[in-house]
Structures are given as C-alpha cells and as structure tokens.
Amino acid sequence: MQLVRGLHNLRPQHLGCVATIGNFDGVHRGHQAILARLRARAVALGLPSCVVIFEPQPREFFTPELAPARLTRLRDKLTLLAEAGVDRVLCLAFNRRLRELSAAEFVRAVLVDGLGVRHLEVGDDFRFGCDRAGDFDFLLQAGASNGFSVEAASTVEVQGQRVSSTRVREALAAADFALAEDLLGRPFQLAGRVVHGQALGRQLGTPTANVQLKRRRVPLTGVYLVSTEVDGQHCPGVANIGVRPSVASDGNAHLEVHLLDFSGDLYDRRLTVAFHRKLRDEQRFASLEALKAAIAADVAVARAHWLGQPLKK
C-alpha cells in the first residue's frame, strides 16, 4: 500500500482512482464494509482504491481536550487499511488551511485536481468543508458536474444497532470485550514499542513490559486479562493501563504488561496487546506490600483463566 502525505505530494500518476473519506478510527466492521465496496468498485473500473484520512482527526484539532480516545493510532490504522486491500492512502494534515476550505474548494482541490476521483464511497451522514457545509447531496451534485459517481455506504448493524467508533468506545468503557470484538471483527488491541521503565515490577516480583502508547488519551483504564504477540510469538498475560497512582507518576497513561512464564529481552521490540477481560479498576494502595499482594492476586487469576482456556495462536 502506498502512503501519500499531503496534497503537495500528489503527482500526475495518482490521478484516477476510486476513493472514500473518513477518520476510519478502529477500522471496525462498518469501515470494513465500506472498504470491501471500495475494493470491488476499484476492480470493476480497473482503478486503484484510495482512502483519504486526516491527521490529526478533526475533533482533535478543534477541541483536543474533549476529543475521544483513539481506537487506533495512525501506524495501526495504516496496517489495518493495508490488510483490507487498500491500494493507496492520502493522509491530509488537518490544519487551519484545510479547515477553512469550503466544500466546493475541498472537492476541487482534493477530489478533482488532486486525485481525479472517478467514484466516491461515503456514508450518507458524511459532512465536510468549512462549517461542515458539504453533505451527501452536495457530493452528488459535485460528482455530476465533475464526472465522478457517488454512492452511500450501507449501514452495518450488530445486535440491532449501527456499528460506529463511538459504540466501540462505549463497549470498552463497559468492559464488554465480546461486543467490542464483534464490532471490530477482532479483539481490541493496543500496540507499541517496549521501553525502559522504573523497574518497579521486577522489584515486586512481577517484571513488566512498559509499552509506549504515544496517545493523549486511552479508551481503557484498569487491570486486564490480555494476550500478547511479539515477532510472531504469543504469550498470555495481565496488564495495567492507567496513571499508576500508587507510585510516582507523571500523570500520563502507561501500559504495563506482565507476560506469564516469559523469559527474554523485550526492549525496543513492538508488542501487541489484546484485551479479553477486566479484572479490576486501577486503584491506589497504601504501601508497596499491598500493591505487591494485589498484583500477585491478578497474576493468579490470569493463570487460572489461561490454564482452563489455552491461548489461541
């Protein structure tokens, strides 16, 4: 899959494609349905498929302190889009200049002059342009004037409700990982590089891998039953995600994972963590001894679970 960062990096060879536009946070089953239609139409027309995304996502630009926690960072999103068979991603910097483009200017600069779109797949509730003035009907008219067709993506429902990134976040907040997996089409995962921490877990008898999150906010907090993957090697474990109130904290969210019966060096390796069950909320303990006892209890619960339900490779 080819990644193009910004309109200024588009070249004449990029003209002519089948496209869709959106945040695609989580690349959930609703997104997957759009991508399947995109790929099918691209094959039918003999053109590459292209997904247009924004970085940061618009709500992160307008109200960063209120923007919802991301389900997928850019790197993970790109991986999922590639796995879905997308040929090209155009990543647009969402800044003041882009925000001030009118709907007509956006169509001209991005869809017509930039990509030479022949067909566009979008949700029927899609809005774009300055003050979100552009909508599906506007795109239909713009397409008729500029030689591209527009089609509304069909709504995908799970348990009678529309699949959305918001609904995935709600399932995670409720620790309903079965529903989250149903909405995503896979277990919810966080991934990042293992970095050096305070080595407190080792001192407490449960060494942990400190996974770099690089996120303003995370959609989970607490202690969880997890499975992990690094370089094709799978291992069950238990993870804490939060601000670590029992130790000196920088106030940022941290992901610390104890891999059961693992030996080896994980530093600087990329670890993928899949979440399966919430064990408890993150809490502040009066002493390191109390923290140590709680961690030992968490590990015992994890061992009992994985003993009765071996990890699927």
Side-chain angles (χ1 to χ4, degrees):
M1 184 182 75
Q2 181 185 26
L3 171 63
V4 180
R5 286 183 173 271
L7 286 176
H8 61 284
N9 283 318
L10 287 173
R11 299 292 182 264
Q13 62 266 28
H14 295 132
L15 289 171
C17 67
V18 174
T20 187
I21 310 171
N23 288 323
F24 286 87
D25 187 27
V27 193
H28 53 60
R29 287 177 60 187
H31 296 143
Q32 293 162 30
I34 293 174
L35 297 174
R37 289 164 59 101
L38 182 77
R39 189 171 60 251
R41 183 57 68 99
V43 169
L45 294 177
L47 294 169
S49 58
C50 179
V51 175
V52 181
I53 60 174
F54 306 98
E55 192 67 30
Q57 295 178 171
R59 289 183 66 183
E60 294 169 344
F61 173 82
F62 288 112
T63 54
E65 69 284 354
L66 299 177
R70 282 205 192 193
L71 300 173
T72 45
R73 291 191 303 156
L74 177 61
R75 174 173 176 165
D76 304 312
K77 185 188 301 185
L78 293 174
T79 297
L80 291 167
L81 291 174
E83 291 174 353
V86 174
D87 296 310
R88 184 182 302 143
V89 170
L90 172 62
C91 183
L92 298 178
F94 199 94
N95 50 28
R96 182 175 178 180
R97 182 178 179 183
L98 185 67
R99 176 255 181 273
E100 291 178 348
L101 287 180
S102 69
E105 289 169 336
F106 183 92
V107 168
R108 172 56 58 183
V110 178
L111 302 183
V112 179
D113 295 341
L115 293 172
V117 168
R118 295 274 304 280
H119 177 77
L120 185 66
E121 288 276 342
V122 293
D124 58 9
D125 59 349
F126 177 67
R127 304 298 292 257
F128 68 102
C130 185
D131 298 325
R132 293 167 53 86
D135 57 11
F136 183 74
D137 289 335
F138 182 93
L139 283 173
L140 285 174
Q141 297 174 23
S145 301
N146 292 281
F148 63 87
S149 54
V150 183
E151 191 169 8
S154 301
T155 297
V156 175
E157 294 188 350
V158 167
Q159 298 180 14
Q161 296 185 47
R162 179 176 175 269
V163 177
S164 68
S165 301
T166 297
R167 193 172 171 211
V168 176
R169 292 187 196 95
E170 292 171 349
L172 294 175
D176 190 342
F177 291 101
L179 176 58
E181 182 171 351
D182 207 6
L183 296 170
L184 290 167
R186 63 185 184 281
F188 176 72
Q189 300 176 336
L190 293 173
R193 191 167 301 280
V194 178
V195 297
H196 289 274
Q198 298 175 319
L200 181 61
R202 191 174 301 278
Q203 296 173 36
L204 296 174
T206 51
T208 58
N210 296 278
V211 181
Q212 197 173 37
L213 289 175
K214 290 186 176 179
R215 292 166 177 260
R216 182 185 297 271
R217 297 177 60 194
V218 289
L220 295 173
T221 181
V223 179
Y224 298 89
L225 192 71
V226 301
S227 57
T228 67
E229 185 273 328
V230 58
D231 297 336
Q233 182 178 358
H234 298 261
C235 187
V238 61
N240 181 86
I241 185 166
V243 297
R244 304 181 299 183
S246 299
V247 300
S249 174
D250 57 9
N252 296 319
H254 294 263
L255 173 58
E256 300 172 301
V257 188
H258 174 66
L259 282 66
L260 302 181
D261 302 319
F262 177 86
S263 61
D265 186 358
L266 289 172
Y267 289 122
D268 291 325
R269 297 167 73 183
R270 183 173 172 81
L271 186 69
T272 300
V273 183
F275 293 78
H276 301 284
R277 194 176 100 199
K278 187 170 186 176
L279 299 183
R280 60 177 174 85
D281 290 331
E282 187 180 44
Q283 62 190 97
R284 183 182 181 87
F285 293 94
S287 66
L288 289 182
E289 284 302 315
L291 174 60
K292 182 177 180 178
I295 293 174
D298 297 333
V299 170
V301 172
R303 286 190 183 280
H305 173 88
W306 291 119
L307 183 63
Q309 183 177 315
L311 182 62
K312 295 179 181 179
K313 302 295 193 294

